[in-house]
Amino acid sequence: MLKGKKIIIGITGSIAAYKIPSLIRAFIKDGAEVKIVATKNSLEFVTKITLETLSKNKVYHDVFDKDNDYTTEHISLAEWGDLLLIAPASANIIGKYANGIADDVLSTFMLAFDRKVFIAPAMNTGMYKSFPVQKNMKYLEENGVSFIAPGYGELACGTVGDGRMEEPEKIATIVSTYLNRGQDLKDKKVLVTAGPTQESIDPVRFISNHSSGLMGFEVARNCAERGALVTLIAGPVNLTITMPNIQRINVVTAEQMRTACLEHFDANDITVMAAAVADYTSEVVAAKKLKKQPERLSIKFIKTPDILAELGKKKRSDQILVGFALETDNELENAKLKVRNKNLDFIVLNSLRDKGAGFKHLTNKISIINKNLLLKVFEIKPKSKVAVDIVNEIVATYKK
Ligand code: C5P
């Protein structure tokens, strides 16, 4: 049911625009209100009158349209919608959005819109796979935009491949599932750590690990999408995230991560320690670059503080604490010990033995072990979906 939900559909110039009337009908039938922002080219493929009749609203297609009550009306629309769906989305609109270009009614409106955006691309396979389009999509995805991947099939240009806009029924299902998702973490405060730490040896070298930070970022994003106020403490990673309810704090070393965690822990209801914190740091950081040694170089490492264990000691009964473990052997036994020893509500175990799981992969395969040592095993899936499983477990734990 979409009763009370307000959906804005942005249409761009692609043959798939002819499918948008059935998408509008699906949304309206389900109880939603729909408004349309259409590029000039899109109206070559679907008529304004069809869109207006089905949506029961006027179509915004020109910044200076004489039918607009005022010239910034398309900007005020940004306050109205719960969600913006760009379908079909051309390479052009994806490129403009990723680069902040506002040269027509839709691209201008998109920059003013700060809620959830879904994009359903439709274009020729070569264009879709081209590096600029892939780069733009990756950048938008990292910033919270969700893509509805195009399907494989015959394209208007006569070739067969990826690039066909997903069918309207499927798009409608994805959007309504999103709109019907619970704000089950509304106003909850969540602290998430992500990424590796770097421990300097001398002014030019450090030891670190292969963590990309993606798992922690996806957990932070999912918590924020579910209404939480998130503090994300990130080690050095190559990721960006901009959501109004995520505050990001960048750190480099384990000691800096500890200081930031201790500062924020008490104020948070839920803490998820997804960071791969270095276990050792160099006892001394040489003031000058260490000279090459003839055979061996010995560096003394000392243990870093175990932040998670420290937080486990401070944890109040109204707080939830989640740890991560990555093991190469005896994983279950070790993970069970950690749940108990570090006073966790549950631990997320990923094993390097599973193909496609752990560092650097976009997918992960996890098991969750709770404080009663109950084990749940999950399928391999994209880290964005793994994050949903983890956050579902947090919500279930919270409700107990
Ligand atoms: O004991 P182990 O290092 O395997 O535990 C991993 C968990 O502990 C992760 O949640 C990680 O964020 C956390 N950790 C920590 N401080 C350390 C090492 C790990 O908080 N020095």
Side-chain angles (χ1 to χ4, degrees), residues 14-287:
S14 150
I15 178 70
Y18 85 89
K19 296 182 176 174
I20 300 308
S22 53
L23 186 59
I24 301 172
R25 285 190 60 181
F27 284 143
I28 301 251
K29 218 171 119 204
D30 220 12
E33 282 181 75
V34 177
K35 289 191 180 183
I36 308 285
V37 185
T39 64
K40 195 162 158 276
N41 287 345
S42 73
L43 296 179
E44 300 286 337
F45 297 96
V46 57
T47 71
K48 183 167 160 263
I49 186 100
T50 308
L51 299 171
E52 287 186 338
T53 308
L54 290 174
S55 70
K56 303 187 183 76
N57 275 308
K58 78 175 173 202
V59 168
Y60 297 86
H61 61 98
D62 183 356
V63 179
F64 303 108
D65 186 2
K66 60 179 173 12
D67 289 344
N68 287 355
D69 297 333
Y70 45 98
T71 50
T72 55
E73 201 177 335
H74 59 289
I75 301 290
S76 318
L77 189 60
E79 309 275 298
W80 179 86
D82 295 315
L83 178 145
L84 170 64
L85 165 68
I86 308 296
S90 60
N92 186 39
I93 197 73
I94 293 171
K96 284 203 256 186
Y97 189 39
N99 291 286
I101 295 169
D103 64 353
D104 69 355
V105 68
L106 180 57
S107 51
T108 308
F109 167 70
M110 287 179 82
L111 293 190
F113 189 82
D114 69 352
R115 292 174 209 164
K116 181 70 187 174
V117 178
F118 275 87
I119 295 184
M123 65 195 80
N124 153 281
T125 310
M127 290 169 78
Y128 182 67
K129 299 229 157 120
S130 70
F131 72 86
V133 170
Q134 290 293 324
K135 180 187 126 226
N136 289 334
M137 292 201 304
K138 181 168 178 282
Y139 174 70
L140 292 173
E141 210 158 26
E142 284 168 3
N143 284 284
V145 174
S146 294
F147 281 84
I148 302 175
Y152 180 89
E154 200 177 320
L155 299 164
C157 55
T159 57
V160 174
D162 287 327
R164 257 173 91 106
M165 188 184 79
E166 185 52 274
E167 291 306 324
E169 309 81 70
K170 186 84 185 288
I171 297 179
T173 308
I174 291 171
V175 167
S176 30
T177 306
Y178 177 81
L179 284 171
N180 283 322
R181 85 209 179 288
Q183 286 280 295
D184 46 11
L185 286 177
K186 189 149 181 53
D187 298 333
K188 289 276 174 291
K189 290 194 172 150
V190 183
L191 181 65
V192 182
T193 65
T197 64
Q198 286 176 355
E199 311 299 323
S200 288
I201 293 167
D202 67 15
V204 288
R205 304 177 181 103
F206 57 80
I207 60 158
S208 188
N209 57 64
H210 294 297
S211 170
S212 67
L214 185 60
M215 195 61 253
F217 272 59
E218 291 295 354
V219 169
R221 186 196 310 286
N222 191 251
C223 289
E225 283 179 357
R226 293 160 82 151
L229 305 167
V230 179
T231 304
L232 173 62
I233 302 174
V237 292
N238 198 8
L239 297 171
T240 49
I241 193 162
T242 46
M243 286 180 70
N245 48 343
I246 298 184
Q247 183 210 359
R248 175 172 175 173
I249 298 167
N250 290 323
V251 297
V252 177
T253 63
E255 192 51 52
Q256 289 168 0
M257 187 163 278
R258 173 177 177 266
T259 307
C261 286
L262 290 176
E263 190 186 329
H264 289 90
F265 181 68
D266 287 346
N268 279 277
D269 304 299
I270 296 154
T271 296
V272 183
M273 294 283 288
V277 187
D279 288 320
Y280 292 90
T281 189
S282 183
E283 189 170 34
V284 280
V285 180

Side-chain angles (χ1 to χ4, degrees), residues 193 273-279 304-308 322-325 327 338 342:
T193 65
M273 294 283 288
V277 187
D279 288 320
T304 53
D306 189 324
I307 310 167
L308 185 58
V322 177
F324 272 66
E327 302 281 348
K338 279 179 204 169
K342 301 193 188 194

